[in-house]
Amino acid sequence: MIQIMKLSVSQFKDKLISYLYSITGKDLRTANNEDMYMAISYLLREIIGMNWEDSKIKYNNLKTVYILSFEYLPGKMLEKNLLYLGLRDIAESVLGELDFKLEDILDIETELGIGHGSLGAICDSYLDSLSTMQFPGFAYGIRYERGLMIQKLVDGIQIEEPDNWLKKTNVWELKKYYNYDIEYKDFQVKAQSFDFPYIGYDNKSVNTMRLWSAEPKNDLKFDSFSKGNLQEAYDEYIKSKSISEFLYPDDSTRKGKRFRLMQEYFYVSASIKDIIRRYFKYKGNILKLGDRICIEINDVHPILAIPELINILTVDYGLSYEMSFKISSKLFTYTNHTTLSESFELWDISLIEDVIPQLVKPIRYLDELSRKEFKEMGISDDEVFEMAIIQNSHLNSVNLASFVSRTINSLSDMHQYVLSKENLRGYYKYYKDKFIVKRGSINHRRWLLKSNKKLTDLISQTIGDDFKRDSNKMIELLEYKNDGILLDELGRIKYENKREVAEYLKKELGIKINPYSVFDMQLSRFHEYKRQLLNAFKIASDYFLLKENCNYDIVPRTYFFGGKAPSSYYIAKEIIAFINSLMKVINNDRLIKDKIKIVFIENLNISKTEFAIKAADVNESLATASKESASMSTLKFMMNGAITIGVSDGLNKEIFSDLGRGNYFEFGISSEEVMENDRGGYNAYEYYNQSPEIRNLINRLNNKSMTEFQYNFKPIYNMLIKYNDSFMVLRDFLSYKKAQERLEKRYRDEVGWNEMALINIAKSGKYSSDTTMLEFADMVWRINNENI
């Protein structure tokens, strides 16, 4: 076997040239960047493959955690794999000798289109940490052939196109021979497996992510094809392939819901069948299933795994429902990722009967069992209804998970508090022992070591390299918070990163920005609760002040926005159009002397976020209190030395407490106040009517004769005033503006700002996913890495 850390420059070079011949059929005289990308990727596949097989053998006799998630966000893998195998510098050196640039090779790769938001980022971090800490983990996902979407901006309006990420070969996946028949009421499909390696940092541990692709059970109808009836010939093929075509297809109609239900069942059925097959391959007795495996359900989408397992145990293995439930209640753990009621899936039982009737019986059994248990506990009828698995002829997925799962995990203390007061108050009241908090966390190797090499090198020079494996060591940076030389160097690195971003924008997009300006970023998916509107209103307000007085004293600021809106989310797409309208006018207004600039990063993805985030001075974390479980963006920005302005809610509340007052900028009402307002205590019109500043701003934006922006503001105006501003933008606007004034004042103190940045970096280490995985492994999943 190749010894990873001992692979010399000459060995690497020889293997690279060999793979160039065998994979592309070319040599150095004719090879281009694409050819070299294939060669170097297959070189790494050889190393990873050997370690992968060794890991499978080592993990055979250990209890395994199986992770079910609809999303993962691995980003690009070549650079990460080079870094983790200790080969990045060698690769760069060898490629340089051969007249290639590593950065050009890295640009060739396409990101995996199997995730979108924080859920995907969290699950990716967990898999990375499991491998790095050498715990046996196995993840399941869907191989979405066209991802979520590609976002195009046409005249500032979001247009969606398919994300054909598989158009180029995905060099990291291996098509396997494991496939399963998935049964629907009116037809069958085949789930085909593709395996993807997750390697550990600086070790030989490799865990597996298995992705399912939907394939037709039968080939096309040759007789129909021969007669020219193409629709009939390809009907089953198209129907089958569509199941794994897109991430989150629109489910706003009954047809859409039917399709989403088919997709969710396809995923969980294939995964549960594979888990059982793997169990019998290595372990044996079905009655001890819960002793040898743990199944972690991430968010609401995989919850049908519970009735599917019970159905398989009763039908295929002849177990009673009572025994099947007993086994299931030992092996399932559930992590809730949202407090938004719109994300708590309710499935019409009649729809389930029409699509997957085999699950109706286990669902009804669980509903009857839970109601019986609730009654025996003396729970009132109103509370029984609130906690019921079937409510008004609809399956409540989250109640199902809460009743069966051994643990119910929240991503922060505040997240659990909101669940206990709102969405899951009955379960929290009567099953409190199930509730735990294992906070949301990120992979510091991706968001620091990989994305910000200059800062990583500075940290290494200051406290050594131990932090790369143990992020808690980053706290040692606090010893240097009064070191003027280090703070100056930190500021210099931030400026260099900002200049790099500025040069890229000028070259690629023709946008000229000032690298000395404040780089203020809000990079997240577009949703009303994320409140990009707060940010946009502040920008518009400052712009109007500058128009009235071009000498108005503000620190020059460049605002970065990025994120996608779901294709069917009308108002979120309107907010994108509004921001782009602001950008068009402000960026071309010479009278304001470039004191404000706006950049909208089209089609934001992991790679673009990694590139931008290292240059950020300010992170805008503006989600309405009580509406976000944990903001992963805050952690990424914090780790790169950006200062957060945000609401003290979710994970932000814990982060702000750790940072200490003066190292962040807080605004807005509390979660308790928001929940009270949600019950009818909020009147947006009163805030609009009673505040001249708010009223004048909204009126000016809403009246085309009063504003320079060529945008029909009426939809946003109606959302705020007519429909009562559901996420309290107007309620928090003045508080937000005051926090921004405090921020600007602090930014003028360069030394003080750099000290804040250092404190943020130092205290970000405790939020590494390594720490969270240790806690999960020990206290939740009960897995170990002994003898590895």
Side-chain angles (χ1 to χ4, degrees), residues 246-313:
F246 288 97
L247 169 63
Y248 299 143
D250 179 15
D251 63 349
S252 59
T253 64
R254 186 172 176 87
K255 284 185 178 180
K257 285 181 170 60
R258 178 187 177 89
F259 185 76
R260 180 75 74 89
L261 181 62
M262 291 173 63
Q263 188 183 63
E264 292 189 8
Y265 180 70
F266 163 81
Y267 167 63
V268 300
S269 182
S271 301
I272 293 298
K273 288 174 179 176
D274 195 56
I275 289 170
I276 293 175
R277 178 197 61 79
R278 285 174 51 81
Y279 172 77
F280 274 115
K281 181 178 178 181
Y282 301 122
K283 308 297 189 304
N285 190 342
I286 193 68
L287 297 178
K288 294 186 177 181
L289 186 67
D291 298 329
R292 302 299 298 173
I293 71 170
C294 178
I295 301 177
E296 166 69 15
I297 296 176
N298 275 285
D299 212 9
V300 69
H301 315 296
I303 284 173
L304 289 176
I306 295 172
E308 174 66 359
L309 175 61
I310 291 176
N311 182 60
I312 290 174
L313 293 178

Side-chain angles (χ1 to χ4, degrees), residues 12-32 34-43 98 100:
F12 190 95
K13 181 178 179 180
D14 290 343
K15 281 192 165 291
L16 184 60
I17 293 173
S18 175
Y19 271 110
L20 192 60
Y21 280 116
S22 62
I23 299 301
T24 71
K26 294 185 180 181
D27 63 18
L28 293 173
R29 294 170 298 177
T30 56
N32 57 28
E34 287 81 1
D35 299 322
M36 193 59 74
Y37 167 75
M38 295 297 292
I40 196 170
S41 297
Y42 273 85
L43 188 163
L98 302 176
F100 287 88

